[in-house]
Amino acid sequence: MKTALITGASSGFGEATARLFARHGYRLILVARRLDRLKVLAETLDMPCHVEALDMTDTSAIDAFVNGLPAEWSNIDILVNNAGLALGTGPAQEADLTDWHTMINTNITGLVTLTHKILPIMVKQNSGSIINVGSIAGNWPYPGGNVYCGTKAFVHQFSKALRADLAGTGVRVSTIEPGLAETEFSIVRMHGDKQKADGLYTDAQPIVAEDIADMIFWLANVPPHLNVNNLEVMPTSQAWGPLNVVKNSDAADDA
């Protein structure tokens, strides 16, 4: 029986992924900040679950969590680095520096800290799958994305470099990079303004959590001789837009 560790499992992509893996017979280690939600989730699943509260911005807590796993839960076959967030939508010059630091500490520092702790386990086993949840924001910057885009670009490049280091170990690394997706993500980004967040999705037919869970499960279960490097996905209603061109009429007049 394989064991999957899923971060940010209390809602959204993480919760949907936990439900799908449980239906397919995986034991689950589920972590998130909201332990109450994890306990409720675990009670609805038919597979063994180990749940713990974990703040991904606290590197010492991550260290203690991995070191403290019971022996029967210490062999991890799949790591889904799903925990992450965006905060704010304004231009960089108006951003809250605390929001920037929180995104960096969660999306980058927390992800690499947990990955660093799990890697020796997988290398020793000569097998394992690390699936990092990135974003199209890591490939396609947009106004207001500033640090969020930067953190997801890090996830993209870190995953590729990690894959290069792990060649020959049997450990696979993939990123999945969703576009417009309707979860609690935007509510968090809007600092709790649900009406504003909901406006992003009206009539857009966005990605839903179960869509991403299906893809994460597929990434973890392609044949062992294959590694899907990265998978970028948008809803059909979303595509790339034109590049922004700012025209300065005063400069044109002076010319």
Side-chain angles (χ1 to χ4, degrees):
M1 186 184 301
K2 290 187 176 181
T3 300
L5 166 55
I6 304 170
T7 69
S10 61
S11 65
F13 299 158
E15 179 184 351
T17 301
R19 293 187 183 281
L20 183 58
F21 272 75
R23 288 200 297 271
H24 286 272
Y26 286 78
R27 303 191 324 155
L28 299 172
I29 302 172
L30 306 176
V31 298
R33 290 173 299 164
R34 296 173 292 190
L35 183 59
D36 56 337
R37 286 202 182 190
L38 290 178
K39 288 180 176 178
V40 170
L41 172 61
E43 289 172 359
T44 68
L45 303 178
D46 292 329
M47 293 301 295
C49 294
H50 177 85
V51 300
E52 286 196 37
L54 185 63
D55 180 351
M56 294 298 292
T57 68
D58 187 339
T59 55
S60 61
I62 293 172
D63 189 68
F65 156 67
V66 177
N67 291 340
L69 281 173
E72 63 271 23
W73 290 95
S74 61
N75 293 325
I76 296 166
D77 301 288
I78 299 163
L79 169 61
V80 181
N81 277 316
N82 166 68
L85 79 169
L87 293 170
T89 58
Q93 65 272 23
E94 298 174 8
D96 184 331
L97 184 59
T98 301
D99 285 349
W100 281 10
H101 287 166
T102 300
M103 287 186 279
I104 292 167
N105 291 337
T106 306
N107 301 354
I108 296 178
T109 307
L111 183 147
V112 301
T113 301
L114 182 58
T115 301
H116 187 263
K117 292 292 294 184
I118 300 303
L119 277 174
I121 297 171
M122 292 186 171
V123 170
K124 185 177 180 180
Q125 294 171 172
N126 295 311
S127 68
S129 290
I130 298 171
I131 301 170
N132 294 326
V133 178
S135 168
I136 63 168
N139 304 321
W140 314 104
Y142 54 86
N146 43 72
V147 166
Y148 177 69
C149 290
T151 63
K152 292 304 184 177
F154 175 89
V155 172
H156 179 97
Q157 197 65 18
F158 172 68
S159 300
K160 285 188 172 182
L162 194 61
R163 170 73 186 120
D165 286 344
L166 292 169
T169 67
V171 180
R172 304 186 295 187
V173 183
S174 302
T175 55
I176 182 166
E177 298 170 340
L180 184 69
E182 186 171 9
T183 64
E184 293 181 14
F185 174 86
S186 289
I187 298 175
V188 173
R189 185 169 204 170
M190 307 300 181
H191 296 284
D193 188 335
K194 188 175 185 301
Q195 184 176 3
K196 187 176 180 181
D198 288 346
L200 295 172
Y201 308 115
T202 303
D203 300 325
Q205 295 182 300
I207 295 167
V208 296
E210 290 75 15
D211 297 329
I212 300 304
D214 286 341
M215 294 177 201
I216 290 173
F217 185 81
W218 176 75
L219 289 171
N221 286 279
V222 295
H225 67 288
L226 300 177
N227 189 97
V228 180
N229 298 322
N230 84 288
L231 180 62
E232 182 183 277
V233 56
M234 297 180 185
T236 305
S237 62
Q238 185 180 35
W240 305 277
L243 292 175
N244 187 27
V245 178
V246 178
K247 297 184 178 180
N248 188 331
S249 59
D250 292 339
D253 291 341
D254 292 343

